[in-house]
Amino acid sequence: MRIFSGLQPTGRKHLGNYIGAIVQYVEGQQRAADAGDVAIYCVVDLHAMTVPWVPGEMRERVYDTASILLAAGLDPDRCIFIRQSDVPEHTELAWHLGAVTAHGDLNRMHQFKEKSAKQRDLVSSDLFTYPVLMAADVLAYRADEVPVGDDQRQHVELMRDVAQRFNERFGDVLVVPELKIPEVGARIMDLQDPTSKMSTSSASLEGTVHVLDDAQAVEKKFKRAVTDSEDPPRIVRDKSKPGVSNLLDILAAARRTTVEEATASLAGARGYGDLKVATADAVNALLAPVRERYVELRADEDALEDIFAAGAEKARAITRPVLADVREAMGVGPRPRG
Ligand code: TRP
């Protein structure tokens, strides 16, 4: 079982990213290894160029993101950790996949509609073909499993269609990957608006806990978290209580236990204040070591470049033969000899 996922180098990673995605990536390394295979994680700098970016900051954001992932426990010796632009087979395969991607399907992508509506001067063709490059990211490795957030569902469905169409037309060359949506992270909500997901683009900075927030900032955000005015206060997970439910979900995830156990641990609580303090403490216990390691890792950019260079080499040992098969199946390039 081979895993592939990609992460944007933009935006600061928040608690929803951490609990929903990053923790699953770290676990995926072992799951893939146990199955005699490997997990590939990719910082997608080329995708970050589909909307306006600052050239002088791109590399910095890649280092930031890489340092967070490594601090959280991605181990470049146990997985393949790459920067997208270091592995040219991604872009090469994207071109070939374009041949079996319907323009009409790309036109129906929700994310393209949303992002193109926000552009002021240019809607680039890279933004339009974003899902084709994403398909290439995964298909270049013949990956079986793609762990992503629910917002990426349509992109993964498209990549499955593209792989199927390729195989029907050119023979069984590519693997049709499965979508895997992490359950917990899909549920981490904004602390100020617990009916919408915690997100990078949220209106309230107050409601978003960042991985690199210091302990005091984390405490403050949880102290101000929206709960409800039920009297007497009830600490239970219930549809009618989105704020309290969210805190219980976060508490359980941060302590790596169940919501039932987290709820039981608060049986003697006097009110929501106790729940907030317990949750802030658990989140700080979870993130403090990550923040410490982050500072060390981020300080050594040469070391990060060495990690990327080694990752690209391991990656290309997989992608080069896949691209050779793709070219051969499509009848492109030199006649194979020997
Ligand atoms: N589009 C994904 C996102 O915005 C990032 C991504 C790029 C990705 N390539 C990928 C995710 C391949 C999974 C597999 O989150």
Side-chain angles (χ1 to χ4, degrees), residues 4-8 25 42 44 47 84 111 115 130 133-135 137-138 146-149 151-152 155-156 159:
F4 185 101
S5 196
L7 271 116
Q8 295 281 353
Y25 296 162
C42 178
V44 295
H47 277 117
Q84 189 180 31
Q111 205 165 79
K115 288 189 181 175
Y130 179 119
L133 178 60
M134 180 164 162
D137 291 339
V138 175
V146 187
V148 281
D151 62 326
Q152 297 297 313
H155 285 157
V156 175
M159 85 174 61

Short mmCIF file of all heavy atoms in Angstrom, two decimals, residues 4-8 25 42 44 47 84 111 115 130 133-135 137-138 146-149 151-152 155-156 159, ligand 1:
data_model
loop_
_atom_site.label_atom_id
_atom_site.label_comp_id
_atom_site.label_asym_id
_atom_site.label_seq_id
_atom_site.Cartn_x
_atom_site.Cartn_y
_atom_site.Cartn_z
N PHE A 4 0.34 8.73 -1.01
CA PHE A 4 0.89 10.01 -1.49
C PHE A 4 0.00 11.13 -0.99
O PHE A 4 -1.23 11.07 -1.11
CB PHE A 4 0.93 10.08 -3.02
CG PHE A 4 1.61 11.35 -3.52
CD1 PHE A 4 2.92 11.32 -3.97
CD2 PHE A 4 0.93 12.58 -3.48
CE1 PHE A 4 3.56 12.50 -4.39
CE2 PHE A 4 1.57 13.75 -3.90
CZ PHE A 4 2.87 13.71 -4.36
N SER A 5 0.62 12.19 -0.46
CA SER A 5 -0.17 13.40 -0.23
C SER A 5 0.67 14.64 -0.45
O SER A 5 1.91 14.60 -0.38
CB SER A 5 -0.79 13.42 1.17
OG SER A 5 -1.81 14.42 1.18
N GLY A 6 0.00 15.72 -0.74
CA GLY A 6 0.66 16.99 -1.00
C GLY A 6 0.19 18.06 -0.05
O GLY A 6 -0.96 18.04 0.40
N LEU A 7 1.09 18.97 0.28
CA LEU A 7 0.74 20.08 1.18
C LEU A 7 1.14 21.41 0.58
O LEU A 7 2.26 21.56 0.09
CB LEU A 7 1.56 19.96 2.45
CG LEU A 7 0.93 19.16 3.53
CD1 LEU A 7 1.79 17.97 3.76
CD2 LEU A 7 0.83 20.03 4.77
N GLN A 8 0.25 22.37 0.69
CA GLN A 8 0.54 23.71 0.21
C GLN A 8 1.61 24.38 1.07
O GLN A 8 1.54 24.31 2.29
CB GLN A 8 -0.73 24.57 0.29
CG GLN A 8 -1.84 24.10 -0.61
CD GLN A 8 -1.64 24.52 -2.05
OE1 GLN A 8 -0.73 25.29 -2.36
NE2 GLN A 8 -2.48 24.02 -2.93
N TYR A 25 -0.29 11.77 8.38
CA TYR A 25 0.89 11.55 7.54
C TYR A 25 1.95 10.79 8.33
O TYR A 25 2.59 9.88 7.82
CB TYR A 25 1.51 12.87 7.07
CG TYR A 25 0.63 13.70 6.17
CD1 TYR A 25 0.89 15.05 5.98
CD2 TYR A 25 -0.46 13.14 5.50
CE1 TYR A 25 0.09 15.82 5.16
CE2 TYR A 25 -1.25 13.91 4.68
CZ TYR A 25 -0.97 15.25 4.53
OH TYR A 25 -1.75 16.02 3.72
N CYS A 42 4.75 15.58 -0.16
CA CYS A 42 5.26 16.53 -1.14
C CYS A 42 4.81 17.95 -0.81
O CYS A 42 3.62 18.19 -0.63
CB CYS A 42 4.70 16.10 -2.50
SG CYS A 42 5.14 17.14 -3.88
N VAL A 44 3.97 21.28 -2.24
CA VAL A 44 3.59 21.55 -3.63
C VAL A 44 3.82 23.01 -4.02
O VAL A 44 2.89 23.79 -4.18
CB VAL A 44 2.13 21.10 -3.93
CG1 VAL A 44 2.02 19.59 -3.82
CG2 VAL A 44 1.12 21.75 -3.01
N HIS A 47 2.03 24.11 -7.27
CA HIS A 47 0.61 24.45 -7.11
C HIS A 47 0.43 25.83 -6.48
O HIS A 47 -0.54 26.52 -6.75
CB HIS A 47 -0.11 23.39 -6.26
CG HIS A 47 -0.53 22.20 -7.05
ND1 HIS A 47 -0.03 20.93 -6.82
CD2 HIS A 47 -1.38 22.07 -8.09
CE1 HIS A 47 -0.57 20.09 -7.67
NE2 HIS A 47 -1.40 20.74 -8.47
N GLN A 84 7.95 19.53 -4.65
CA GLN A 84 7.39 19.16 -5.95
C GLN A 84 8.28 19.56 -7.13
O GLN A 84 8.51 18.77 -8.04
CB GLN A 84 6.02 19.85 -6.08
CG GLN A 84 5.17 19.43 -7.25
CD GLN A 84 3.86 20.21 -7.22
OE1 GLN A 84 3.81 21.36 -6.76
NE2 GLN A 84 2.80 19.59 -7.70
N GLN A 111 -13.12 24.22 -6.99
CA GLN A 111 -12.02 25.05 -6.52
C GLN A 111 -11.59 26.04 -7.61
O GLN A 111 -11.22 27.17 -7.30
CB GLN A 111 -10.84 24.19 -6.08
CG GLN A 111 -9.99 24.90 -5.09
CD GLN A 111 -9.03 23.96 -4.37
OE1 GLN A 111 -7.99 23.57 -4.90
NE2 GLN A 111 -9.38 23.58 -3.16
N LYS A 115 -11.56 29.98 -6.90
CA LYS A 115 -10.29 30.72 -6.95
C LYS A 115 -10.25 31.68 -8.14
O LYS A 115 -9.70 32.76 -8.03
CB LYS A 115 -9.10 29.75 -7.02
CG LYS A 115 -8.84 29.01 -5.71
CD LYS A 115 -7.54 28.24 -5.78
CE LYS A 115 -7.27 27.48 -4.50
NZ LYS A 115 -6.07 26.63 -4.60
N TYR A 130 -4.61 22.98 -12.66
CA TYR A 130 -4.17 22.57 -11.32
C TYR A 130 -4.49 21.09 -11.04
O TYR A 130 -3.62 20.33 -10.59
CB TYR A 130 -4.87 23.50 -10.32
CG TYR A 130 -4.62 23.29 -8.85
CD1 TYR A 130 -4.05 24.28 -8.07
CD2 TYR A 130 -5.03 22.12 -8.19
CE1 TYR A 130 -3.86 24.12 -6.70
CE2 TYR A 130 -4.84 21.94 -6.84
CZ TYR A 130 -4.26 22.95 -6.09
OH TYR A 130 -4.07 22.77 -4.75
N LEU A 133 -2.07 18.55 -12.72
CA LEU A 133 -0.79 18.40 -12.03
C LEU A 133 -0.95 17.60 -10.74
O LEU A 133 -0.12 16.75 -10.40
CB LEU A 133 -0.19 19.79 -11.72
CG LEU A 133 1.15 19.78 -10.96
CD1 LEU A 133 2.24 19.04 -11.74
CD2 LEU A 133 1.60 21.21 -10.64
N MET A 134 -2.05 17.82 -10.06
CA MET A 134 -2.31 17.07 -8.82
C MET A 134 -2.48 15.58 -9.14
O MET A 134 -1.98 14.71 -8.40
CB MET A 134 -3.55 17.64 -8.13
CG MET A 134 -3.90 16.92 -6.86
SD MET A 134 -5.05 17.89 -5.86
CE MET A 134 -5.66 16.58 -4.78
N ALA A 135 -3.15 15.28 -10.24
CA ALA A 135 -3.28 13.88 -10.66
C ALA A 135 -1.91 13.29 -10.95
O ALA A 135 -1.58 12.18 -10.53
CB ALA A 135 -4.18 13.79 -11.89
N ASP A 137 0.95 14.22 -9.71
CA ASP A 137 1.69 14.04 -8.44
C ASP A 137 1.50 12.60 -7.93
O ASP A 137 2.45 11.94 -7.52
CB ASP A 137 1.14 14.98 -7.35
CG ASP A 137 1.44 16.45 -7.60
OD1 ASP A 137 2.38 16.75 -8.36
OD2 ASP A 137 0.74 17.30 -7.00
N VAL A 138 0.26 12.18 -7.94
CA VAL A 138 -0.08 10.89 -7.33
C VAL A 138 0.21 9.73 -8.30
O VAL A 138 0.80 8.72 -7.92
CB VAL A 138 -1.58 10.88 -6.94
CG1 VAL A 138 -2.00 9.50 -6.41
CG2 VAL A 138 -1.87 11.97 -5.91
N VAL A 146 -4.69 8.26 -1.12
CA VAL A 146 -4.46 9.70 -1.07
C VAL A 146 -5.19 10.29 0.14
O VAL A 146 -6.40 10.54 0.08
CB VAL A 146 -4.95 10.39 -2.36
CG1 VAL A 146 -4.55 11.86 -2.36
CG2 VAL A 146 -4.41 9.70 -3.59
N PRO A 147 -4.48 10.52 1.26
CA PRO A 147 -5.13 11.15 2.40
C PRO A 147 -5.22 12.66 2.21
O PRO A 147 -4.19 13.34 2.10
CB PRO A 147 -4.20 10.80 3.58
CG PRO A 147 -2.87 10.48 2.97
CD PRO A 147 -3.07 10.17 1.52
N VAL A 148 -6.43 13.18 2.10
CA VAL A 148 -6.64 14.62 1.93
C VAL A 148 -7.92 15.05 2.63
O VAL A 148 -8.75 14.21 2.97
CB VAL A 148 -6.80 15.02 0.44
CG1 VAL A 148 -5.46 15.11 -0.27
CG2 VAL A 148 -7.76 14.12 -0.29
N GLY A 149 -8.06 16.34 2.81
CA GLY A 149 -9.28 16.89 3.40
C GLY A 149 -10.45 16.77 2.44
O GLY A 149 -10.28 16.56 1.24
N ASP A 151 -12.28 18.89 1.18
CA ASP A 151 -12.31 19.89 0.11
C ASP A 151 -11.59 19.40 -1.16
O ASP A 151 -11.72 20.01 -2.22
CB ASP A 151 -11.71 21.22 0.58
CG ASP A 151 -10.24 21.08 0.97
OD1 ASP A 151 -9.85 20.01 1.49
OD2 ASP A 151 -9.48 22.03 0.75
N GLN A 152 -10.83 18.30 -1.04
CA GLN A 152 -10.07 17.80 -2.19
C GLN A 152 -10.75 16.60 -2.85
O GLN A 152 -10.19 15.98 -3.76
CB GLN A 152 -8.65 17.41 -1.74
CG GLN A 152 -7.84 18.58 -1.21
CD GLN A 152 -7.61 19.62 -2.29
OE1 GLN A 152 -7.24 19.31 -3.41
NE2 GLN A 152 -7.86 20.88 -1.94
N HIS A 155 -11.11 16.73 -6.64
CA HIS A 155 -9.82 16.57 -7.33
C HIS A 155 -9.40 15.10 -7.37
O HIS A 155 -8.82 14.65 -8.36
CB HIS A 155 -8.74 17.39 -6.62
CG HIS A 155 -8.84 18.87 -6.87
ND1 HIS A 155 -8.30 19.81 -6.02
CD2 HIS A 155 -9.42 19.56 -7.87
CE1 HIS A 155 -8.54 21.02 -6.50
NE2 HIS A 155 -9.22 20.90 -7.61
N VAL A 156 -9.64 14.39 -6.30
CA VAL A 156 -9.23 12.98 -6.27
C VAL A 156 -10.14 12.17 -7.19
O VAL A 156 -9.69 11.25 -7.89
CB VAL A 156 -9.21 12.43 -4.83
CG1 VAL A 156 -8.91 10.93 -4.82
CG2 VAL A 156 -8.17 13.17 -3.99
N MET A 159 -8.79 12.62 -10.59
CA MET A 159 -7.55 11.87 -10.88
C MET A 159 -7.85 10.39 -11.09
O MET A 159 -7.19 9.72 -11.89
CB MET A 159 -6.48 12.12 -9.82
CG MET A 159 -6.54 11.30 -8.59
SD MET A 159 -5.12 11.55 -7.48
CE MET A 159 -5.18 13.26 -7.04
N1 TRP B 1 -4.51 20.34 -3.72
C1 TRP B 1 -4.05 19.91 -2.43
C2 TRP B 1 -4.52 20.92 -1.39
O1 TRP B 1 -4.73 22.07 -1.69
C3 TRP B 1 -2.55 19.78 -2.38
C4 TRP B 1 -2.05 18.71 -3.29
C5 TRP B 1 -1.31 18.89 -4.42
C6 TRP B 1 -2.23 17.32 -3.14
N2 TRP B 1 -1.03 17.70 -4.99
C7 TRP B 1 -1.57 16.71 -4.25
C8 TRP B 1 -2.89 16.52 -2.20
C9 TRP B 1 -1.58 15.33 -4.42
C10 TRP B 1 -2.89 15.14 -2.38
C11 TRP B 1 -2.24 14.55 -3.48
O2 TRP B 1 -4.65 20.56 -0.24
#
